[in-house]
Amino acid sequence: MHIGFQRSGGRGEYEVVGSHTGYTAIGLEGWSFHLRWPDGIVRDTDLVLEPADSGKPRLRSLRAQPFQIGRQVASMLMLPDPRREYAETSRGLPVARHKGYVLSRLGFGPDTEFTGFNDVVTIDPTFVDLDNLTDKTTIGVVHRWRRVEAVYAAMDSLPDNVRSIVSQHRNFMASGDPINTTLPGIVLSLERALVSAVPAWVAETDPLPALEHLLGIKLQTGPSLPPPDEIGEEEPVVSARSAHEYRLAKIRGASGRKFSSSIRAAYGNRCAFCGGVYGGVPAVRSGVDAAHILAWSKYDLDVVPNGISLCKLHHWAFDAALLVPAYEGTACTLRFTELATENFAPDTLAKLGVHQFVVPDEWLPADRSLWPSKKYLERLYADLAIEFAA
Ligand SMILES: [Zn+2]
C-alpha cells in the first residue's frame, strides 16, 4: 500500500493505492492518517481519506489551510518544497528543486498499523518517489533521515547563519508538533543561506548534500533503501532496486528489530487465539500479523508486550473489539464482548472461538514477560468502554 499522487485535473491530489494486511483504500474511507517518523515520534497529518466525486477515495486535509502529505514529508526530509501541479514541474536532473517536482509516492512499510477502534492508519514510511517531467528518483526514508540527523549532530561547525536555520529544523522536529508550513519555510531559508555558503551548489536544489559538503561528512556506502521484504510485493520496481542495492552491498535483507518480526519470532508465527502456525515458510508470505494492543498513535509503545501475534481473521476480531484476551488470574483467556454477542450469530462466533477459552501457554511466548501486558489490555478496555459477554 502507498499514498500516490494523482496527476489528472489541475492540482494534484493524493490517494491511497493497493492493500496492506487485508485493508484496501475503500475500507479506509473516513480514516485519519498519522505518520510514525524514524525519530520515534507519531505525528497527526490532519489528513482524512474521503470519497471523491468519482468514487475514488482521496486524502483531504482537515485544516483551514490544507497542507498536503507531499509538502509535509519533503520538509521533514529537508527536501525542497514540492509543487501540487505536475504539469509545472521541471525537466531533468536534479529532480528535487524548489517547486520543480512532485512527491509522487510514499510507501507503507510492514509496521504500518491499522487501528479500527478509532479509525487511524499509522504509516511506517519506507520510501518516497520524487518526479518531474523527465526524471524520477526514489529515496529511502530511514536512510535520508539518518543523514539529516548526522547533520544535526555536526551542525556546530556550520557557518552561523546556516547553523541557526538547521537548528530551527531540528527544534521543530524535536517538538513533535504536527508539520505545518513553518517547516518548508525553514528549508527554503536554508536553501537561500547555502547560496553564499557553498558557491558550487546549485541554488534551490536539495540542501542536504551542500550541508554534508560543508561539514565534510562522507556518505557511507551501502543500501539507501529499506530491504526488499519491508517494501513489499506491491512495489516491484522499488523492491527490485532495493534487492540490487543489497546484493551489491552483500547485506541480507533482514529487518532485524522491527516490531512485526519481533512479535512473529516471540510467538513462532502462531496465532495466539487459534493456535494456527501460519508462517515461517520461506516461500510463503506470513499469514500472522503483529497486532498492537495500544495504538502507536496514542501511546508509542513499540515493544513485544504491547503486541500479540494473530492470524488475519483473529486480527480483525481483536481490532473490531469482538474477541479479546483478558487475564483470569495468571491465565490468558479469550472473551467475547457484548458487541460480538449482540450483533453476530452464535454459529458465526463459534467459528471465531470459545468464550473464556484458556490460551495454552505454548501458544504464547516462552518468556512470560513477553506475554500481552495485563496493564495495557486493561487500559485498552477502559479506553474503549468494552463490556465482556456474560
Ligand atoms: Zn487465529
Side-chain angles (χ1 to χ4, degrees):
M1 183 174 270
H2 66 261
I3 288 175
F5 183 80
Q6 178 56 252
R7 295 178 187 178
S8 59
R11 293 200 138 193
E13 290 185 296
Y14 285 95
E15 59 187 24
V16 174
V17 182
S19 65
H20 197 296
T21 58
Y23 287 93
T24 61
I26 295 293
L28 298 176
E29 282 179 8
W31 287 46
S32 313
F33 286 74
H34 292 184
L35 190 59
R36 174 174 233 259
W37 203 244
D39 60 7
I41 298 176
V42 176
R43 295 171 178 85
D44 194 345
T45 64
D46 293 314
L47 296 170
V48 168
L49 193 67
E50 284 185 358
D53 300 337
S54 64
K56 247 195 170 176
R58 300 282 162 84
L59 280 176
R60 304 250 187 246
S61 179
L62 295 175
R63 297 185 193 172
Q65 291 268 306
F67 190 46
Q68 290 296 337
I69 188 78
R71 297 189 68 196
Q72 297 190 28
V73 172
S75 60
M76 293 167 93
L77 291 173
M78 216 182 257
L79 283 163
D81 204 14
R83 289 202 83 81
R84 283 188 68 187
E85 306 88 355
Y86 180 78
E88 294 170 41
T89 59
S90 313
R91 285 175 187 278
L93 295 166
V95 177
R97 279 188 223 170
H98 182 70
K99 298 293 184 190
Y101 72 102
V102 294
L103 193 147
S104 60
R105 226 158 38 134
L106 172 68
F108 291 13
D111 284 354
T112 295
E113 176 78 354
F114 299 82
T115 312
F117 300 133
N118 47 3
D119 293 355
V120 170
V121 180
T122 306
I123 303 167
D124 165 32
T126 44
F127 67 89
V128 293
D129 276 352
L130 317 183
D131 277 71
N132 65 18
L133 289 176
T134 52
D135 289 285
K136 174 199 275 291
T137 185
T138 301
I139 292 174
V141 169
V142 171
H143 181 262
R144 172 85 186 190
W145 178 249
R146 298 292 167 238
R147 288 172 62 193
V148 172
E149 286 185 325
V151 167
Y152 288 165
M155 70 178 171
D156 284 350
S157 317
L158 288 168
D160 282 349
N161 61 328
V162 178
R163 188 194 62 232
S164 77
I165 304 170
V166 170
S167 153
Q168 288 171 34
H169 194 278
R170 182 196 60 184
N171 294 344
F172 190 101
M173 291 299 290
S175 74
D177 290 343
I179 307 304
N180 59 37
T181 50
T182 306
L183 201 59
I186 291 171
V187 178
L188 183 60
S189 50
L190 184 58
E191 289 165 28
R192 290 185 175 144
L194 285 167
V195 172
S196 52
V198 187
W201 181 66
V202 180
E204 302 202 328
T205 60
D206 186 355
L208 190 56
L211 292 167
E212 289 167 336
H213 170 78
L214 276 174
L215 290 166
I217 295 176
K218 292 261 189 299
L219 274 190
Q220 298 202 329
T221 56
S224 65
L225 292 169
D229 62 340
E230 289 186 23
I231 291 170
E233 61 198 22
E234 286 194 3
E235 309 288 351
V237 176
V238 182
S239 238
R241 199 174 308 151
S242 157
H244 181 65
E245 281 190 355
Y246 279 79
R247 275 196 300 275
L248 283 179
K250 296 190 170 59
I251 296 171
R252 282 186 171 274
S255 47
R257 297 173 62 249
K258 284 278 194 177
F259 177 76
S260 51
S261 48
S262 307
I263 291 281
R264 282 182 191 148
Y267 287 79
N269 289 291
R270 187 188 296 276
C271 172
F273 282 15
C274 63
V277 177
Y278 299 114
V281 180
V284 180
R285 196 179 169 90
S286 177
V288 289
D289 295 337
H292 279 81
I293 296 171
L294 296 177
W296 274 346
S297 46
K298 271 176 88 178
Y299 297 96
D300 195 23
L301 288 165
D302 206 5
V303 293
V304 173
N306 187 36
I308 185 161
S309 171
L310 295 174
C311 71
K312 303 290 177 186
L313 177 65
H314 285 121
H315 191 174
W316 165 77
F318 174 63
D319 199 32
L322 302 175
L323 183 64
V324 299
Y327 283 95
E328 188 89 56
T330 57
C332 182
T333 68
L334 300 183
R335 308 269 186 90
F336 283 113
T337 61
E338 285 189 350
L339 182 68
T341 54
E342 287 170 4
N343 294 285
F344 289 83
D347 61 337
T348 295
L349 294 182
K351 293 185 193 302
L352 278 180
V354 174
H355 189 53
Q356 295 186 319
F357 175 78
V358 178
V359 177
D361 286 4
E362 56 271 26
W363 292 6
L364 294 163
D367 178 353
R368 273 193 94 97
S369 71
L370 298 179
W371 284 24
S373 159
K374 186 167 187 269
K375 195 175 68 184
Y376 297 160
L377 288 170
E378 286 171 354
R379 181 62 189 264
L380 175 70
Y381 304 153
D383 282 1
L384 298 174
I386 278 187
E387 301 282 354
F388 296 120

PDB file of all heavy atoms in Angstrom, residues 65-97:
ATOM      1  N   GLN A  65      -6.037  25.806   6.230  1.00  0.00           N
ATOM      2  CA  GLN A  65      -5.061  25.956   5.153  1.00  0.00           C
ATOM      3  C   GLN A  65      -4.574  24.548   4.827  1.00  0.00           C
ATOM      4  O   GLN A  65      -3.674  24.053   5.491  1.00  0.00           O
ATOM      5  CB  GLN A  65      -3.873  26.790   5.639  1.00  0.00           C
ATOM      6  CG  GLN A  65      -4.201  28.231   5.899  1.00  0.00           C
ATOM      7  CD  GLN A  65      -3.955  29.075   4.660  1.00  0.00           C
ATOM      8  OE1 GLN A  65      -2.889  29.065   4.089  1.00  0.00           O
ATOM      9  NE2 GLN A  65      -4.983  29.792   4.235  1.00  0.00           N
ATOM     10  N   PRO A  66      -5.172  23.899   3.827  1.00  0.00           N
ATOM     11  CA  PRO A  66      -4.799  22.497   3.569  1.00  0.00           C
ATOM     12  C   PRO A  66      -3.297  22.344   3.336  1.00  0.00           C
ATOM     13  O   PRO A  66      -2.677  23.173   2.676  1.00  0.00           O
ATOM     14  CB  PRO A  66      -5.585  22.164   2.298  1.00  0.00           C
ATOM     15  CG  PRO A  66      -6.710  23.135   2.270  1.00  0.00           C
ATOM     16  CD  PRO A  66      -6.171  24.392   2.898  1.00  0.00           C
ATOM     17  N   PHE A  67      -2.750  21.305   3.917  1.00  0.00           N
ATOM     18  CA  PHE A  67      -1.307  21.099   3.825  1.00  0.00           C
ATOM     19  C   PHE A  67      -1.081  19.634   3.464  1.00  0.00           C
ATOM     20  O   PHE A  67      -1.251  18.744   4.277  1.00  0.00           O
ATOM     21  CB  PHE A  67      -0.680  21.452   5.174  1.00  0.00           C
ATOM     22  CG  PHE A  67       0.817  21.519   5.133  1.00  0.00           C
ATOM     23  CD1 PHE A  67       1.474  22.192   4.109  1.00  0.00           C
ATOM     24  CD2 PHE A  67       1.573  20.922   6.120  1.00  0.00           C
ATOM     25  CE1 PHE A  67       2.858  22.258   4.077  1.00  0.00           C
ATOM     26  CE2 PHE A  67       2.955  20.984   6.099  1.00  0.00           C
ATOM     27  CZ  PHE A  67       3.588  21.655   5.077  1.00  0.00           C
ATOM     28  N   GLN A  68      -0.745  19.421   2.206  1.00  0.00           N
ATOM     29  CA  GLN A  68      -0.720  18.064   1.670  1.00  0.00           C
ATOM     30  C   GLN A  68       0.462  17.242   2.179  1.00  0.00           C
ATOM     31  O   GLN A  68       1.485  17.764   2.591  1.00  0.00           O
ATOM     32  CB  GLN A  68      -0.709  18.106   0.138  1.00  0.00           C
ATOM     33  CG  GLN A  68      -2.027  18.583  -0.460  1.00  0.00           C
ATOM     34  CD  GLN A  68      -3.179  17.639  -0.161  1.00  0.00           C
ATOM     35  OE1 GLN A  68      -2.964  16.460   0.110  1.00  0.00           O
ATOM     36  NE2 GLN A  68      -4.405  18.149  -0.185  1.00  0.00           N
ATOM     37  N   ILE A  69       0.294  15.935   2.100  1.00  0.00           N
ATOM     38  CA  ILE A  69       1.283  14.995   2.629  1.00  0.00           C
ATOM     39  C   ILE A  69       2.650  15.175   1.958  1.00  0.00           C
ATOM     40  O   ILE A  69       3.691  15.055   2.589  1.00  0.00           O
ATOM     41  CB  ILE A  69       0.781  13.530   2.493  1.00  0.00           C
ATOM     42  CG1 ILE A  69       1.690  12.542   3.216  1.00  0.00           C
ATOM     43  CG2 ILE A  69       0.620  13.110   1.022  1.00  0.00           C
ATOM     44  CD1 ILE A  69       1.510  12.504   4.696  1.00  0.00           C
ATOM     45  N   GLY A  70       2.659  15.517   0.657  1.00  0.00           N
ATOM     46  CA  GLY A  70       3.921  15.680  -0.062  1.00  0.00           C
ATOM     47  C   GLY A  70       4.779  16.776   0.546  1.00  0.00           C
ATOM     48  O   GLY A  70       5.987  16.614   0.742  1.00  0.00           O
ATOM     49  N   ARG A  71       4.140  17.903   0.877  1.00  0.00           N
ATOM     50  CA  ARG A  71       4.894  19.020   1.464  1.00  0.00           C
ATOM     51  C   ARG A  71       5.342  18.676   2.879  1.00  0.00           C
ATOM     52  O   ARG A  71       6.411  19.092   3.320  1.00  0.00           O
ATOM     53  CB  ARG A  71       4.037  20.280   1.482  1.00  0.00           C
ATOM     54  CG  ARG A  71       3.645  20.766   0.098  1.00  0.00           C
ATOM     55  CD  ARG A  71       2.983  22.125   0.170  1.00  0.00           C
ATOM     56  NE  ARG A  71       3.930  23.158   0.571  1.00  0.00           N
ATOM     57  CZ  ARG A  71       3.563  24.372   1.015  1.00  0.00           C
ATOM     58  NH1 ARG A  71       2.280  24.683   1.123  1.00  0.00           N
ATOM     59  NH2 ARG A  71       4.471  25.267   1.345  1.00  0.00           N
ATOM     60  N   GLN A  72       4.501  17.951   3.608  1.00  0.00           N
ATOM     61  CA  GLN A  72       4.869  17.578   4.978  1.00  0.00           C
ATOM     62  C   GLN A  72       6.121  16.704   4.969  1.00  0.00           C
ATOM     63  O   GLN A  72       7.102  16.985   5.661  1.00  0.00           O
ATOM     64  CB  GLN A  72       3.719  16.801   5.657  1.00  0.00           C
ATOM     65  CG  GLN A  72       2.458  17.619   5.817  1.00  0.00           C
ATOM     66  CD  GLN A  72       1.410  16.946   6.708  1.00  0.00           C
ATOM     67  OE1 GLN A  72       1.733  16.173   7.595  1.00  0.00           O
ATOM     68  NE2 GLN A  72       0.148  17.262   6.480  1.00  0.00           N
ATOM     69  N   VAL A  73       6.068  15.642   4.159  1.00  0.00           N
ATOM     70  CA  VAL A  73       7.156  14.665   4.183  1.00  0.00           C
ATOM     71  C   VAL A  73       8.445  15.267   3.603  1.00  0.00           C
ATOM     72  O   VAL A  73       9.538  15.065   4.131  1.00  0.00           O
ATOM     73  CB  VAL A  73       6.748  13.383   3.425  1.00  0.00           C
ATOM     74  CG1 VAL A  73       7.920  12.440   3.267  1.00  0.00           C
ATOM     75  CG2 VAL A  73       5.608  12.692   4.163  1.00  0.00           C
ATOM     76  N   ALA A  74       8.308  16.043   2.514  1.00  0.00           N
ATOM     77  CA  ALA A  74       9.501  16.655   1.912  1.00  0.00           C
ATOM     78  C   ALA A  74      10.215  17.539   2.931  1.00  0.00           C
ATOM     79  O   ALA A  74      11.439  17.462   3.092  1.00  0.00           O
ATOM     80  CB  ALA A  74       9.114  17.462   0.670  1.00  0.00           C
ATOM     81  N   SER A  75       9.457  18.373   3.653  1.00  0.00           N
ATOM     82  CA  SER A  75      10.120  19.292   4.586  1.00  0.00           C
ATOM     83  C   SER A  75      10.730  18.538   5.769  1.00  0.00           C
ATOM     84  O   SER A  75      11.764  18.937   6.294  1.00  0.00           O
ATOM     85  CB  SER A  75       9.150  20.375   5.052  1.00  0.00           C
ATOM     86  OG  SER A  75       8.035  19.824   5.719  1.00  0.00           O
ATOM     87  N   MET A  76      10.102  17.422   6.172  1.00  0.00           N
ATOM     88  CA  MET A  76      10.685  16.623   7.249  1.00  0.00           C
ATOM     89  C   MET A  76      12.016  16.021   6.814  1.00  0.00           C
ATOM     90  O   MET A  76      12.937  15.866   7.609  1.00  0.00           O
ATOM     91  CB  MET A  76       9.719  15.489   7.646  1.00  0.00           C
ATOM     92  CG  MET A  76       8.435  15.982   8.286  1.00  0.00           C
ATOM     93  SD  MET A  76       7.172  14.682   8.387  1.00  0.00           S
ATOM     94  CE  MET A  76       7.499  14.046  10.032  1.00  0.00           C
ATOM     95  N   LEU A  77      12.099  15.664   5.524  1.00  0.00           N
ATOM     96  CA  LEU A  77      13.324  15.071   4.986  1.00  0.00           C
ATOM     97  C   LEU A  77      14.331  16.131   4.534  1.00  0.00           C
ATOM     98  O   LEU A  77      15.342  15.805   3.924  1.00  0.00           O
ATOM     99  CB  LEU A  77      12.981  14.155   3.809  1.00  0.00           C
ATOM    100  CG  LEU A  77      12.225  12.871   4.147  1.00  0.00           C
ATOM    101  CD1 LEU A  77      11.793  12.143   2.881  1.00  0.00           C
ATOM    102  CD2 LEU A  77      13.084  11.954   5.014  1.00  0.00           C
ATOM    103  N   MET A  78      14.025  17.410   4.806  1.00  0.00           N
ATOM    104  CA  MET A  78      14.888  18.514   4.411  1.00  0.00           C
ATOM    105  C   MET A  78      15.041  18.579   2.889  1.00  0.00           C
ATOM    106  O   MET A  78      16.100  18.922   2.367  1.00  0.00           O
ATOM    107  CB  MET A  78      16.263  18.408   5.087  1.00  0.00           C
ATOM    108  CG  MET A  78      16.866  19.747   5.474  1.00  0.00           C
ATOM    109  SD  MET A  78      18.512  19.540   6.199  1.00  0.00           S
ATOM    110  CE  MET A  78      18.149  19.761   7.930  1.00  0.00           C
ATOM    111  N   LEU A  79      13.958  18.250   2.188  1.00  0.00           N
ATOM    112  CA  LEU A  79      13.943  18.351   0.725  1.00  0.00           C
ATOM    113  C   LEU A  79      13.262  19.663   0.334  1.00  0.00           C
ATOM    114  O   LEU A  79      12.395  20.153   1.064  1.00  0.00           O
ATOM    115  CB  LEU A  79      13.145  17.195   0.114  1.00  0.00           C
ATOM    116  CG  LEU A  79      13.840  15.837   0.057  1.00  0.00           C
ATOM    117  CD1 LEU A  79      12.821  14.723  -0.172  1.00  0.00           C
ATOM    118  CD2 LEU A  79      14.900  15.824  -1.049  1.00  0.00           C
ATOM    119  N   PRO A  80      13.605  20.227  -0.836  1.00  0.00           N
ATOM    120  CA  PRO A  80      12.926  21.440  -1.301  1.00  0.00           C
ATOM    121  C   PRO A  80      11.412  21.223  -1.367  1.00  0.00           C
ATOM    122  O   PRO A  80      10.936  20.101  -1.495  1.00  0.00           O
ATOM    123  CB  PRO A  80      13.508  21.657  -2.701  1.00  0.00           C
ATOM    124  CG  PRO A  80      14.815  20.959  -2.693  1.00  0.00           C
ATOM    125  CD  PRO A  80      14.637  19.772  -1.777  1.00  0.00           C
ATOM    126  N   ASP A  81      10.688  22.334  -1.281  1.00  0.00           N
ATOM    127  CA  ASP A  81       9.231  22.280  -1.276  1.00  0.00           C
ATOM    128  C   ASP A  81       8.720  21.810  -2.645  1.00  0.00           C
ATOM    129  O   ASP A  81       9.054  22.390  -3.668  1.00  0.00           O
ATOM    130  CB  ASP A  81       8.710  23.694  -0.976  1.00  0.00           C
ATOM    131  CG  ASP A  81       7.316  23.680  -0.380  1.00  0.00           C
ATOM    132  OD1 ASP A  81       6.854  22.613   0.038  1.00  0.00           O
ATOM    133  OD2 ASP A  81       6.699  24.769  -0.337  1.00  0.00           O
ATOM    134  N   PRO A  82       7.893  20.740  -2.685  1.00  0.00           N
ATOM    135  CA  PRO A  82       7.363  20.288  -3.984  1.00  0.00           C
ATOM    136  C   PRO A  82       6.178  21.135  -4.441  1.00  0.00           C
ATOM    137  O   PRO A  82       5.690  21.979  -3.704  1.00  0.00           O
ATOM    138  CB  PRO A  82       6.915  18.854  -3.694  1.00  0.00           C
ATOM    139  CG  PRO A  82       6.651  18.804  -2.238  1.00  0.00           C
ATOM    140  CD  PRO A  82       7.481  19.874  -1.569  1.00  0.00           C
ATOM    141  N   ARG A  83       5.710  20.891  -5.641  1.00  0.00           N
ATOM    142  CA  ARG A  83       4.525  21.541  -6.208  1.00  0.00           C
ATOM    143  C   ARG A  83       3.307  20.684  -5.981  1.00  0.00           C
ATOM    144  O   ARG A  83       3.422  19.507  -5.673  1.00  0.00           O
ATOM    145  CB  ARG A  83       4.653  21.630  -7.738  1.00  0.00           C
ATOM    146  CG  ARG A  83       5.633  22.572  -8.276  1.00  0.00           C
ATOM    147  CD  ARG A  83       5.254  22.915  -9.709  1.00  0.00           C
ATOM    148  NE  ARG A  83       4.253  23.954  -9.712  1.00  0.00           N
ATOM    149  CZ  ARG A  83       4.535  25.241  -9.564  1.00  0.00           C
ATOM    150  NH1 ARG A  83       5.779  25.633  -9.420  1.00  0.00           N
ATOM    151  NH2 ARG A  83       3.577  26.119  -9.568  1.00  0.00           N
ATOM    152  N   ARG A  84       2.156  21.274  -6.312  1.00  0.00           N
ATOM    153  CA  ARG A  84       0.938  20.459  -6.340  1.00  0.00           C
ATOM    154  C   ARG A  84       0.474  20.209  -7.768  1.00  0.00           C
ATOM    155  O   ARG A  84      -0.496  19.509  -7.981  1.00  0.00           O
ATOM    156  CB  ARG A  84      -0.178  21.142  -5.560  1.00  0.00           C
ATOM    157  CG  ARG A  84       0.008  21.000  -4.059  1.00  0.00           C
ATOM    158  CD  ARG A  84      -1.198  21.502  -3.327  1.00  0.00           C
ATOM    159  NE  ARG A  84      -2.362  20.669  -3.550  1.00  0.00           N
ATOM    160  CZ  ARG A  84      -3.568  20.982  -3.122  1.00  0.00           C
ATOM    161  NH1 ARG A  84      -3.768  22.090  -2.457  1.00  0.00           N
ATOM    162  NH2 ARG A  84      -4.589  20.175  -3.356  1.00  0.00           N
ATOM    163  N   GLU A  85       1.134  20.832  -8.755  1.00  0.00           N
ATOM    164  CA  GLU A  85       0.718  20.638 -10.146  1.00  0.00           C
ATOM    165  C   GLU A  85       1.855  19.951 -10.889  1.00  0.00           C
ATOM    166  O   GLU A  85       2.918  20.510 -11.050  1.00  0.00           O
ATOM    167  CB  GLU A  85       0.418  21.971 -10.849  1.00  0.00           C
ATOM    168  CG  GLU A  85      -0.579  22.849 -10.139  1.00  0.00           C
ATOM    169  CD  GLU A  85       0.100  23.758  -9.111  1.00  0.00           C
ATOM    170  OE1 GLU A  85       1.313  23.636  -8.882  1.00  0.00           O
ATOM    171  OE2 GLU A  85      -0.619  24.603  -8.527  1.00  0.00           O
ATOM    172  N   TYR A  86       1.598  18.751 -11.358  1.00  0.00           N
ATOM    173  CA  TYR A  86       2.658  18.009 -12.040  1.00  0.00           C
ATOM    174  C   TYR A  86       3.099  18.709 -13.322  1.00  0.00           C
ATOM    175  O   TYR A  86       4.281  18.759 -13.661  1.00  0.00           O
ATOM    176  CB  TYR A  86       2.182  16.592 -12.358  1.00  0.00           C
ATOM    177  CG  TYR A  86       3.233  15.774 -13.059  1.00  0.00           C
ATOM    178  CD1 TYR A  86       4.285  15.227 -12.333  1.00  0.00           C
ATOM    179  CD2 TYR A  86       3.189  15.583 -14.431  1.00  0.00           C
ATOM    180  CE1 TYR A  86       5.272  14.501 -12.967  1.00  0.00           C
ATOM    181  CE2 TYR A  86       4.183  14.856 -15.071  1.00  0.00           C
ATOM    182  CZ  TYR A  86       5.213  14.312 -14.342  1.00  0.00           C
ATOM    183  OH  TYR A  86       6.182  13.612 -14.976  1.00  0.00           O
ATOM    184  N   ALA A  87       2.128  19.290 -14.055  1.00  0.00           N
ATOM    185  CA  ALA A  87       2.430  19.886 -15.366  1.00  0.00           C
ATOM    186  C   ALA A  87       3.458  20.995 -15.278  1.00  0.00           C
ATOM    187  O   ALA A  87       4.122  21.310 -16.264  1.00  0.00           O
ATOM    188  CB  ALA A  87       1.141  20.405 -15.999  1.00  0.00           C
ATOM    189  N   GLU A  88       3.588  21.606 -14.108  1.00  0.00           N
ATOM    190  CA  GLU A  88       4.509  22.731 -13.984  1.00  0.00           C
ATOM    191  C   GLU A  88       5.830  22.343 -13.320  1.00  0.00           C
ATOM    192  O   GLU A  88       6.552  23.202 -12.838  1.00  0.00           O
ATOM    193  CB  GLU A  88       3.833  23.867 -13.207  1.00  0.00           C
ATOM    194  CG  GLU A  88       2.658  24.449 -13.987  1.00  0.00           C
ATOM    195  CD  GLU A  88       1.817  25.404 -13.140  1.00  0.00           C
ATOM    196  OE1 GLU A  88       2.406  26.192 -12.391  1.00  0.00           O
ATOM    197  OE2 GLU A  88       0.583  25.336 -13.250  1.00  0.00           O
ATOM    198  N   THR A  89       6.140  21.066 -13.302  1.00  0.00           N
ATOM    199  CA  THR A  89       7.414  20.655 -12.715  1.00  0.00           C
ATOM    200  C   THR A  89       8.539  20.837 -13.731  1.00  0.00           C
ATOM    201  O   THR A  89       8.297  21.121 -14.905  1.00  0.00           O
ATOM    202  CB  THR A  89       7.349  19.182 -12.257  1.00  0.00           C
ATOM    203  OG1 THR A  89       7.034  18.351 -13.379  1.00  0.00           O
ATOM    204  CG2 THR A  89       6.288  18.983 -11.192  1.00  0.00           C
ATOM    205  N   SER A  90       9.780  20.658 -13.243  1.00  0.00           N
ATOM    206  CA  SER A  90      10.959  20.891 -14.106  1.00  0.00           C
ATOM    207  C   SER A  90      11.222  19.702 -15.011  1.00  0.00           C
ATOM    208  O   SER A  90      10.526  18.686 -14.971  1.00  0.00           O
ATOM    209  CB  SER A  90      12.191  21.104 -13.241  1.00  0.00           C
ATOM    210  OG  SER A  90      11.929  21.996 -12.207  1.00  0.00           O
ATOM    211  N   ARG A  91      12.265  19.848 -15.809  1.00  0.00           N
ATOM    212  CA  ARG A  91      12.776  18.743 -16.615  1.00  0.00           C
ATOM    213  C   ARG A  91      14.202  18.480 -16.185  1.00  0.00           C
ATOM    214  O   ARG A  91      14.956  19.410 -15.926  1.00  0.00           O
ATOM    215  CB  ARG A  91      12.823  19.129 -18.093  1.00  0.00           C
ATOM    216  CG  ARG A  91      11.474  19.155 -18.745  1.00  0.00           C
ATOM    217  CD  ARG A  91      11.584  19.654 -20.179  1.00  0.00           C
ATOM    218  NE  ARG A  91      10.239  19.828 -20.722  1.00  0.00           N
ATOM    219  CZ  ARG A  91       9.509  18.829 -21.216  1.00  0.00           C
ATOM    220  NH1 ARG A  91      10.009  17.612 -21.275  1.00  0.00           N
ATOM    221  NH2 ARG A  91       8.291  19.048 -21.668  1.00  0.00           N
ATOM    222  N   GLY A  92      14.557  17.204 -16.125  1.00  0.00           N
ATOM    223  CA  GLY A  92      15.970  16.865 -15.936  1.00  0.00           C
ATOM    224  C   GLY A  92      16.397  16.783 -14.488  1.00  0.00           C
ATOM    225  O   GLY A  92      15.660  17.103 -13.571  1.00  0.00           O
ATOM    226  N   LEU A  93      17.606  16.316 -14.328  1.00  0.00           N
ATOM    227  CA  LEU A  93      18.200  16.150 -13.002  1.00  0.00           C
ATOM    228  C   LEU A  93      18.875  17.444 -12.586  1.00  0.00           C
ATOM    229  O   LEU A  93      19.344  18.173 -13.443  1.00  0.00           O
ATOM    230  CB  LEU A  93      19.227  15.003 -13.047  1.00  0.00           C
ATOM    231  CG  LEU A  93      18.626  13.626 -13.321  1.00  0.00           C
ATOM    232  CD1 LEU A  93      19.750  12.650 -13.699  1.00  0.00           C
ATOM    233  CD2 LEU A  93      17.877  13.121 -12.096  1.00  0.00           C
ATOM    234  N   PRO A  94      19.025  17.741 -11.315  1.00  0.00           N
ATOM    235  CA  PRO A  94      18.459  17.005 -10.190  1.00  0.00           C
ATOM    236  C   PRO A  94      16.946  17.221 -10.072  1.00  0.00           C
ATOM    237  O   PRO A  94      16.458  18.305 -10.365  1.00  0.00           O
ATOM    238  CB  PRO A  94      19.186  17.597  -8.988  1.00  0.00           C
ATOM    239  CG  PRO A  94      19.584  18.963  -9.409  1.00  0.00           C
ATOM    240  CD  PRO A  94      19.817  18.909 -10.886  1.00  0.00           C
ATOM    241  N   VAL A  95      16.259  16.170  -9.683  1.00  0.00           N
ATOM    242  CA  VAL A  95      14.799  16.238  -9.615  1.00  0.00           C
ATOM    243  C   VAL A  95      14.332  17.177  -8.503  1.00  0.00           C
ATOM    244  O   VAL A  95      13.421  17.987  -8.708  1.00  0.00           O
ATOM    245  CB  VAL A  95      14.210  14.820  -9.383  1.00  0.00           C
ATOM    246  CG1 VAL A  95      12.704  14.886  -9.225  1.00  0.00           C
ATOM    247  CG2 VAL A  95      14.572  13.904 -10.552  1.00  0.00           C
ATOM    248  N   ALA A  96      14.975  17.061  -7.330  1.00  0.00           N
ATOM    249  CA  ALA A  96      14.498  17.810  -6.156  1.00  0.00           C
ATOM    250  C   ALA A  96      14.898  19.271  -6.250  1.00  0.00           C
ATOM    251  O   ALA A  96      15.955  19.688  -5.784  1.00  0.00           O
ATOM    252  CB  ALA A  96      15.048  17.177  -4.879  1.00  0.00           C
ATOM    253  N   ARG A  97      14.059  20.070  -6.899  1.00  0.00           N
ATOM    254  CA  ARG A  97      14.260  21.512  -6.991  1.00  0.00           C
ATOM    255  C   ARG A  97      13.068  22.217  -6.399  1.00  0.00           C
ATOM    256  O   ARG A  97      11.946  21.724  -6.526  1.00  0.00           O
ATOM    257  CB  ARG A  97      14.360  21.948  -8.453  1.00  0.00           C
ATOM    258  CG  ARG A  97      15.723  21.710  -9.008  1.00  0.00           C
ATOM    259  CD  ARG A  97      15.816  22.328 -10.366  1.00  0.00           C
ATOM    260  NE  ARG A  97      16.495  21.392 -11.248  1.00  0.00           N
ATOM    261  CZ  ARG A  97      16.569  21.554 -12.559  1.00  0.00           C
ATOM    262  NH1 ARG A  97      15.969  22.567 -13.139  1.00  0.00           N
ATOM    263  NH2 ARG A  97      17.226  20.674 -13.277  1.00  0.00           N
TER     264      ARG A  97
END
